[in-house]
Amino acid sequence: MHKGRVMVIGSANMDLVVRTARFPEIGETIIGESFATNPGGKGANQAAAAGKLGGKPRFLAKVGADAFGRELLHSLGVCGVDTGSVIVDPTLVSGVAVITVDSEGRNTIVVSPGANGHLYADEVEGEIEEVGPEILLAQLEVPLEAVEAAAAKLPADKLFILNPAPARDLPDSLLQRVDYLTPNETETEFLTGIRPVTDEDCLAAADKLFAKGVRNVVITLGEHGCFLATPQFGQRFPTLEVRPVDTTAAGDAFNGALAFFLSEGRDIDNAILLANVVGALSTQKTGAQSSMPTMREVREAASELL
């Protein structure tokens, strides 16, 4: 298996979270109960997950030269992420997500992509060529053209993991470069028309993705673990039984951990089992990057599965 540097390409947002008893009606003003700013964005979260495990991943993204941009970079640095490929653009504002959470835990979210929407193909190609990652992990919160450019620039013998979130139509030319596609249940149904409930469902969905050129599929199934499908076989992997506190970044935790464990040279079965542990542990704390576990925490918890 590939061993070496992980690069994550994706978004970095500042989450602005207000908790309130109920959502306001249109035109109504209500008083909130609490407010917090939490560094987020799927790309940054996944890089943070790999970083806190000790992977020192390189993060490729774009932020503004504003207070949120500085805070996002600081948070990633604390998590052990190499931010040398983050482009700071003084003409743009950093991405933000405005989130309202009611007393029942439901939320409304408005995302303003800001600098995330201005990550360009030529910028991505230059960084891929300069860094030379062994493993590239991407999602879909930055322009699709940037992801396509990164995948095309990555040498054929390097590993490409694509987390197709948020769900959107993807060209076969991109899917044909994917070594591991990691959709959740909703994304799997969007891409294939099949809701992955049973193992047979997972295999049927994977077959549709194989027909488009994807090499391997890892379907994340929340508390039910995940399902690995290759052209030769399929297998479900369990996860830890936990009582979730906040599931916001569980998928990001899994993806960042999967890239990290594969970069260590572990086989895919072991990497998935450990990534499941990371995903489960991330639900035990609030927030996104702050919830990512360390390698010590993973070792202590992994004995239940290994």
Side-chain angles (χ1 to χ4, degrees):
M1 182 55 66
H2 302 262
K3 186 176 178 66
R5 164 161 284 192
V6 173
M7 172 174 268
V8 182
I9 173 175
S11 60
N13 290 325
M14 184 60 70
D15 295 343
L16 311 178
V17 185
V18 176
R19 292 186 177 273
T20 184
R22 63 175 178 84
F23 298 127
E25 300 292 336
I26 294 175
E28 180 186 17
T29 298
I30 62 175
I31 302 301
E33 297 174 351
S34 67
F35 172 75
T37 57
N38 298 319
K42 296 192 71 62
N45 292 345
Q46 293 179 14
K52 289 187 75 171
L53 291 169
K56 294 181 173 59
R58 184 93 162 190
F59 186 43
L60 172 53
K62 184 175 283 189
V63 299
D66 50 24
F68 286 159
R70 291 190 292 274
E71 190 172 347
L72 289 168
L73 291 174
H74 174 75
S75 175
L76 288 166
V78 170
C79 291
V81 176
D82 180 348
T83 59
S85 292
V86 177
I87 302 165
V88 180
D89 190 325
T91 68
L92 299 170
V93 296
S94 298
V96 297
V98 181
I99 305 170
T100 304
V101 183
D102 74 1
S103 60
E104 296 182 31
R106 299 174 300 180
N107 61 48
T108 63
I109 304 175
V110 178
V111 176
S112 176
N116 293 305
H118 296 268
L119 185 61
Y120 300 119
D122 59 337
E123 296 169 328
V124 167
E125 291 169 344
E127 289 298 327
I128 295 289
E129 187 170 15
E130 179 179 340
V131 175
E134 292 290 323
I135 297 178
L136 177 67
L137 170 60
Q139 329 74 34
L140 302 174
E141 286 186 338
V142 293
L144 183 59
E145 293 77 10
V147 176
E148 291 180 291
K153 195 67 174 180
L154 189 72
D157 63 336
K158 308 306 181 184
L159 199 68
F160 179 42
I161 304 171
L162 177 61
N163 176 217
R168 60 172 297 172
D169 292 323
L170 297 172
D172 289 356
S173 57
L174 176 62
L175 293 172
Q176 288 163 7
R177 181 58 186 87
V178 176
D179 294 290
Y180 289 98
L181 190 73
T182 61
N184 64 15
E185 297 108 314
T186 302
E187 293 146 8
T188 299
E189 185 172 15
F190 178 89
L191 292 170
T192 69
I194 298 172
R195 185 74 176 178
V197 178
T198 67
D199 289 1
E200 290 73 22
D201 296 334
C202 293
L203 287 169
D207 282 341
K208 289 199 169 189
L209 294 166
F210 294 150
K212 293 179 178 292
V214 175
R215 296 180 177 87
N216 303 280
V217 180
V218 181
I219 302 174
T220 56
L221 301 165
E223 64 183 11
H224 302 295
C226 65
F227 190 92
L228 167 67
T230 76
Q232 292 76 39
F233 72 94
Q235 180 181 349
R236 187 180 290 258
F237 292 81
T239 189
L240 294 177
E241 292 187 11
V242 296
R243 180 171 294 180
V245 174
D246 181 354
T247 63
T248 300
D252 294 336
F254 175 90
N255 278 279
L258 180 66
F260 166 72
F261 290 122
L262 288 175
S263 77
E264 283 197 316
R266 298 176 187 267
D267 62 50
I268 185 60
D269 290 12
N270 186 253
I272 287 176
L273 280 170
L274 289 171
N276 273 345
V277 173
V278 173
L281 290 178
S282 75
T283 71
Q284 301 302 285
K285 301 176 185 177
T286 59
Q289 294 170 29
S290 60
S291 73
M292 302 302 177
T294 64
M295 194 64 205
R296 178 178 179 179
E297 292 171 316
V298 173
R299 289 195 187 99
E300 291 173 352
S303 59
E304 291 185 34
L305 294 178
L306 302 177

